[in-house]
Amino acid sequence: MSCLSPHVPDRRQPGCTKLAWFDPWGGARVRVLAWTCDCLAIVYELCQAGGQGFIRRTLQNEDAPEIRETHRWPIPQARDVWAALLTGRAR
Ligand SMILES: [Zn+2]
């Protein structure tokens, strides 16, 4: 099986930023801009809603997926956080 989407690396960089995760806000329509591979138990998505960006984390439990979201940021900042996540500089 080959993976087409990126994986969040196992190894965290020194000084890795610890993201805060909250229950989903719900409400506004969410557009998914990017996502990590779903071959791992935890899938991350870069999302946009109402002109802001955030990251959604889904733990793929068998019965009920556990969903958490970060703070919302301006889109460019959300993209920076996304890039940091994919390179082990944020988690
Ligand atoms: Zn994969």
Side-chain angles (χ1 to χ4, degrees):
M1 191 176 85
S2 62
C3 296
L4 298 177
S5 300
H7 299 145
V8 170
D10 287 337
R11 183 194 290 263
R12 298 174 196 213
Q13 300 287 340
C16 176
T17 302
K18 199 169 185 333
L19 299 173
W21 297 96
F22 306 93
D23 289 332
W25 287 37
R29 240 163 62 92
V30 172
R31 194 155 74 95
V32 178
L33 304 176
W35 50 89
T36 62
C37 186
D38 66 2
C39 76
L40 299 177
I42 300 177
V43 174
Y44 296 88
E45 294 167 306
L46 174 61
C47 301
Q48 179 178 348
Q52 291 184 299
F54 62 97
I55 293 169
R56 184 158 66 193
R57 182 185 72 184
T58 302
L59 175 58
Q60 308 186 85
N61 290 325
E62 274 187 26
D63 12 310
E66 188 185 313
I67 299 171
R68 292 287 182 273
E69 295 176 356
T70 61
H71 287 294
R72 300 197 169 194
W73 302 286
I75 304 289
Q77 196 181 340
R79 287 193 179 278
D80 285 348
V81 176
W82 179 251
L85 181 72
L86 294 185
T87 52
R89 289 180 288 118
R91 183 71 55 91

